[in-house]
Amino acid sequence: MGTTQLETVPEPKYWHLKTVLGDALDSEFAVGEILPNERELAARFGVARATLRQALEQLELEGRLQRRRGVGTTVAPPRVGVAVADAGHARPGGAEDDWQPVDAGLAAPPAAVALLLGTAPDEAVHTVRRTRSSHGRPVAAESLYVPVSRVPALAPPATASGPARARAVLRELQGLRPASPDRAVELGSARADEAKQLERLPGSPVLLVTTRYVVDGGTAAVAVATYRADTCRLTFGDGDPVGLPAA
């Protein structure tokens, strides 16, 4: 086979510099240590400051560096390991469940979620919003979508909303006893509302975990969790108990 066009494209200078800087961070700097200023770093590595900035920005996106106003650029701590499919996360009402309900209401879900739920594109469903923190830092924001028909005992609210409404929806879900949930992970970018919750800029890289809960062969709920890609390392356990998010 011949050489493809992409194979002939040289590696960008900033990308090579990012690798070199990453090695230096591992061998020469401690977590929290302030890096030399841009002029010193550019002189040390023999590159233009514009190239250096590109490499630093990439390392920041990858969670290796943190830029703090009034302090400078520091070495970031290792990514926080966040369990996605452990017992505490999956068990309804589990003591280890650290998701916090924020709000709930009725609204049409995104088109991709409506397709998973099997609802009409404009059909309103219960939407529960929750957040998750680890070591005192926000790491994830979640939207849980539940068709109204799946929780018939819970009449659509006239004015009720907020955490109390979210807990009411979740309590109704606990009795459904779903089969093993299906999960998918993909890379995405933070919407404005998610970025605010996660203390990031809109468009920042995030990890999207979509979980589909199945009951009697049909989808009972779909959760879309947005995790910070710069600080999170997602872990998945085997044989986790089946369940739905806890109230």
Side-chain angles (χ1 to χ4, degrees):
M1 295 179 63
T3 302
T4 65
Q5 183 177 359
L6 284 177
E7 289 173 341
T8 65
V9 176
E11 183 179 65
K13 288 184 178 180
Y14 82 89
W15 194 262
H16 175 71
L17 178 60
K18 178 190 78 76
T19 302
V20 174
L21 281 170
D23 291 340
L25 294 179
D26 292 334
S27 60
E28 302 179 29
F29 296 90
V31 171
E33 186 172 348
I34 301 174
L35 268 61
N37 60 41
E38 289 185 357
R39 183 188 306 172
E40 294 178 30
L41 288 174
R44 170 180 170 176
F45 294 103
V47 297
R49 292 178 69 175
T51 301
L52 174 69
R53 289 194 190 102
Q54 285 182 294
L56 293 176
E57 288 172 358
Q58 187 64 39
L59 287 168
E60 183 182 13
L61 286 174
E62 294 178 3
R64 300 294 308 278
L65 297 175
Q66 293 179 333
R67 296 191 182 189
R68 301 165 58 190
R69 183 174 299 177
V71 176
T73 301
T74 62
V75 180
R79 281 184 169 88
V80 176
V82 181
V84 173
D86 67 344
H89 177 73
R91 184 184 302 117
E96 298 178 4
D97 188 340
D98 53 4
W99 286 98
Q100 297 297 318
V102 175
D103 198 3
L106 281 171
V113 173
L115 188 62
L116 288 175
L117 291 173
T119 58
D122 58 349
E123 182 180 338
V125 301
H126 293 289
T127 303
V128 176
R129 285 170 288 275
R130 308 198 301 168
T131 60
R132 190 179 187 190
S133 299
S134 181
H135 301 281
R137 292 184 293 174
V139 295
E142 181 190 74
S143 292
L144 177 69
Y145 304 96
V146 186
V148 173
S149 61
R150 284 291 184 176
V151 285
L154 190 65
T159 57
S161 62
R165 186 68 192 183
R167 288 190 288 270
V169 175
L170 294 170
R171 279 195 298 270
E172 291 297 319
L173 284 173
Q174 292 177 19
L176 293 180
R177 300 183 180 277
S180 298
D182 296 325
R183 291 187 176 90
V185 183
E186 59 185 320
L187 183 65
S189 55
R191 302 194 312 263
D193 57 333
E194 297 167 338
K196 184 177 181 180
Q197 286 181 291
L198 299 177
E199 300 178 0
R200 296 291 289 161
L201 293 174
S204 297
V206 293
L207 297 171
L208 300 174
V209 179
T210 301
T211 305
R212 186 170 70 99
Y213 298 98
V214 178
V215 173
D216 298 329
T219 303
V222 171
V224 180
T226 302
Y227 288 83
R228 288 182 57 154
D230 61 323
T231 59
C232 290
R233 176 174 51 83
L234 303 186
T235 61
F236 295 81
D238 294 328
D240 55 306
V242 175
L244 284 160

